[in-house]
Amino acid sequence: MPLCDHLITLGDGPDVAVLLHAAGSAPKALERLGTLLAPEIGRVAIPSFTRGGRSVIGDGADAMQMPVAIATALLEARADARRILVGHSMGGLMSLLAVEGGARIDALVLYEPIVLSLLDLDDPDDREAHAFDAAVIADMRAALDRGDTEAGVARFIEAYGEYPWSRLPGRVREDLIARGAQLLGQALATNGTVLDPARVAEIDVPVLVMHGTRSPMVAIRMAQRLGKLIPHARVEAIDGAGHLGPVSAPDAVAAAIAAFMPRR
């Protein structure tokens, strides 16, 4: 059985980058970013988190075990390559879990990783950011429970997206509604995953953490908190971008990654 249902591969150079997408998304969303990165890196792989038509994201403490295994296998496909792991939102959390689990990488790039467990709830700003996310997920869950999937998905998308729900193309809205339960499951699994701050602080490869200037405060606070936890990490704000920066502003994100990448 293949690693996953869908795998986009781009380029064929000496090094490899694995791009991990956000909740409710798919490999296609990161294809433009991957196309821009391929000339700089070599081979780019963008996996889905489904196998046999079913999500590989589980429940409980091991919810992210299979996505992490997929990412690690793709990184290890080329033994002599430099390995760059790039994660967006939920994919950023998976990237950190992969490093915690021993994946060998040479650079780590994160765009607004969902790392709620790293927020300091004694800090008023972190506490407010955490409460914002909790309210969004609670509202989404309540809407799905009463059978109003569109309202629940719209609540999530408008909280973390960059446009009103009504401005999204009809086919995009229909696809998101069809995957509403899966989106909620991914959000719950992501939010319930706890990282070990001590192990995160020990990451010893170059780290770039990005956030958009138009992103919700919770996403910015998580990026900033991670930047403080990893002393050598570079934190960079992408002007004019929101939480979907790797999708909506791939040129700016790719430029930041290219400027950051350590040279051979």
Side-chain angles (χ1 to χ4, degrees):
M1 179 178 288
L3 276 175
C4 56
D5 286 341
H6 305 289
L7 177 65
I8 295 175
T9 56
L10 304 160
D12 192 29
D15 300 325
V16 61
V18 176
L19 278 55
L20 305 180
H21 65 73
S25 188
K28 188 72 176 175
L30 295 181
E31 185 171 14
R32 173 60 181 164
L33 177 61
T35 299
L36 293 167
L37 291 176
E40 295 287 336
I41 294 173
R43 185 175 187 269
V44 173
I46 315 172
S48 69
F49 304 131
T50 58
R51 182 183 295 168
R54 298 172 63 88
S55 174
V56 297
I57 298 172
D59 300 311
D62 296 327
M64 300 296 175
Q65 182 177 359
M66 286 307 300
V68 167
I70 290 170
T72 302
L74 291 170
L75 287 166
E76 293 177 349
R78 293 191 176 187
D80 298 327
R82 279 194 317 171
R83 305 169 186 184
I84 300 95
L85 190 52
V86 181
H88 172 211
S89 191
M90 177 182 72
L93 172 65
M94 292 173 177
S95 299
L96 288 163
L97 289 169
V99 176
E100 272 195 4
R104 187 184 73 79
I105 61 170
D106 297 283
L108 179 62
V109 176
L110 306 168
Y111 190 96
E112 297 187 6
I114 303 300
V115 290
L116 286 165
S117 67
L118 298 183
L119 291 177
D120 179 3
L121 298 185
D122 291 327
D123 181 296
D125 291 332
D126 278 11
R127 189 163 59 247
E128 181 180 353
H130 192 280
F132 168 87
D133 179 84
V136 170
I137 299 304
D139 289 349
M140 182 184 184
R141 191 174 204 167
L144 266 68
D145 285 347
R146 66 175 182 265
D148 193 351
T149 303
E150 181 171 3
V153 173
R155 173 75 168 107
F156 183 86
I157 296 299
E158 290 192 339
Y160 277 98
E162 299 168 27
Y163 306 103
W165 174 253
S166 61
R167 285 186 55 189
L168 295 179
R171 58 180 176 78
V172 174
R173 294 198 304 269
E174 290 171 4
D175 180 59
L176 286 167
I177 292 168
R179 292 186 289 114
Q182 183 184 87
L183 175 57
L184 176 60
Q186 291 177 349
L188 291 171
T190 299
N191 291 7
T193 298
V194 177
L195 291 165
D196 181 346
R199 295 183 69 182
V200 173
E202 292 172 351
I203 294 174
D204 61 358
V205 299
V207 178
L208 172 64
V209 182
M210 291 176 281
H211 66 79
T213 58
R214 295 178 53 235
S215 296
M217 185 51 62
V218 62
I220 295 174
R221 291 297 297 179
M222 287 187 287
Q224 292 171 338
R225 183 62 62 188
L226 189 59
K228 290 178 181 178
L229 189 59
I230 306 174
H232 61 277
R234 179 193 300 181
V235 179
E236 185 164 341
I238 305 299
D239 189 44
H243 185 60
L244 299 180
V247 182
S248 61
D251 294 82
V253 172
I257 295 173
F260 156 78
M261 279 301 303
R263 301 298 175 186
R264 274 188 175 272

